Amino acid sequence: MKKALLATFGLIAIFVVGAVVAFFIDQPQFLSDPDFDLQPPSLELEADKPAILIFTKTNGFRHKEGIRAAQAVLGKLASARDWQVFTTENDAVHNQADLARFKVVIWANASGPLLRPDQRKALQGFIEQGGGFIGIHAAGDGSHKDWSWYQDTVLGTTFIGHTLRPHQQDARVVRKNDHKILAGLPTQWQHYDEWYAFDRSPEISGAEILLTVDESSYEAGKFSMTPEHPIVWVKNIGKGRTFYSALGHSARSFDTPEYQQLLTQAIAWTGRLDQPER
């Protein structure tokens, strides 16, 4: 009996150790200090097309599938509207001169401690002076707490966890109002994702909630929010417009037609791309 128990515990230990090793092999950034770039990339942009910056740097958990899907889908959506995109993982693109060439900055599953102090100052200035900013999924996870302005002002709430059993689930997304970003979208739809939860509603910080998730439609577990569970919101910061979506964990998350329409309209709104140039 004792031998059998020891054998069982041994197998469990091997499984756990193997899982831990596999995780760190797949996510090597957790074994090193955050990496920051000093030399900005070379930008090749057409002067007569609105430009969108897609930033996918990860000094935290890397959503490999979600990042690839975001790059592909956002590129397709931009092309359909004759917008150009520049995708990079180089932090140093966050400088005043380079950011001025973009209408919208999108952090697509960017995670971990990001940007040097001067780069953070450049992004803050870009937003406050009228630039558009979009954060997708991991851009609002728990890895951004070391930048208080981004955490408190842009996000306006703090990540506390996500669904675990099962990890990703179908759930009902519910529309909250008639904001321009929601034009043409149904009052509710089914969406498959990993569902983030936060310690408070970002409305407290001045955000406007666009979408909530109906907790009766999935297993929220201990990561429940009351009286409602926000997942998409917008906020004006200075002269700029920001949009955050907790959706976007995997490729399937980006396949939803409603989500693609939402992202297209979020880019247009944050970047004022549906308005004539003045």
Side-chain angles (χ1 to χ4, degrees):
M1 183 67 174
K2 288 183 179 180
K3 288 183 178 180
L5 286 173
L6 288 173
T8 300
F9 285 127
L11 289 172
I12 293 173
I14 291 171
F15 174 80
V16 171
V17 171
V20 171
V21 170
F23 174 81
F24 283 111
I25 289 175
D26 189 55
Q27 302 282 338
Q29 66 275 17
F30 281 97
L31 298 176
S32 59
D33 292 331
D35 170 57
F36 301 106
D37 300 292
L38 302 178
Q39 183 65 37
S42 176
L43 301 181
E44 297 180 4
L45 300 172
E46 299 178 47
D48 59 343
K49 280 188 177 183
I52 314 299
L53 173 63
I54 301 176
F55 180 63
T56 57
K57 179 71 168 282
T58 53
N59 280 327
F61 185 85
R62 186 169 183 83
H63 293 71
K64 294 181 179 180
E65 184 185 343
I67 287 173
R68 287 194 297 267
Q71 291 170 338
V73 169
L74 292 170
K76 180 190 74 173
L77 298 177
S79 178
R81 297 289 294 269
D82 203 28
W83 304 329
Q84 60 185 319
V85 300
F86 182 81
T87 302
T88 186
E89 298 199 352
N90 188 326
D91 309 81
V93 72
H94 295 83
N95 64 78
Q96 185 176 5
D98 284 345
L99 289 178
R101 303 181 65 182
F102 295 97
K103 293 290 188 179
V104 181
V105 173
I106 302 177
W107 280 19
N109 273 316
S111 68
L114 296 170
L115 311 188
R116 290 162 47 91
D118 59 313
Q119 296 163 355
R120 292 180 175 185
K121 183 178 180 180
L123 180 59
Q124 180 176 344
F126 169 79
I127 295 172
E128 292 178 341
Q129 293 163 24
F133 178 83
I134 290 176
I136 296 176
H137 197 58
D141 72 8
S143 64
H144 304 280
K145 296 177 183 178
D146 72 313
W147 187 8
S148 59
W149 179 82
Y150 179 81
Q151 182 71 59
D152 299 335
T153 303
V154 177
L155 297 177
T157 186
T158 301
F159 169 89
I160 57 172
H162 57 68
T163 44
L164 294 170
R165 297 176 183 159
H167 185 54
Q168 298 184 73
Q169 306 177 42
D170 273 306
R172 186 181 306 110
V173 170
V174 180
R175 174 177 169 159
K176 282 278 292 178
N177 53 42
D178 293 321
H179 192 282
K180 188 174 183 179
I181 290 177
L182 301 174
L185 288 169
T187 56
Q188 56 183 281
W189 68 87
Q190 289 295 115
H191 183 85
Y192 181 81
D193 221 308
E194 172 189 72
W195 300 97
Y196 277 10
F198 305 90
D199 68 345
R200 63 194 182 280
S201 172
E203 278 187 316
I204 297 172
S205 72
E208 179 180 0
I209 308 301
L210 301 190
L211 299 176
T212 61
V213 58
D214 181 353
E215 290 190 351
S216 71
S217 66
Y218 74 107
E219 295 294 331
K222 65 179 181 178
F223 299 115
S224 176
M225 297 181 67
T226 57
E228 64 181 12
H229 192 139
I231 52 167
V232 174
W233 56 86
V234 294
K235 188 177 183 182
N236 293 322
I237 299 175
K239 297 178 181 178
R241 295 175 171 178
T242 68
F243 168 96
Y244 173 72
S245 169
L247 309 176
H249 178 78
S250 65
R252 184 173 169 183
S253 304
F254 286 93
D255 282 343
T256 310
E258 291 87 354
Y259 192 39
Q260 294 186 15
Q261 182 177 343
L262 179 77
L263 290 172
T264 300
Q265 292 169 183
I267 295 170
W269 182 79
T270 55
R272 295 176 171 83
L273 298 177
D274 285 342
Q275 299 177 4
E277 293 289 341
R278 295 182 180 179

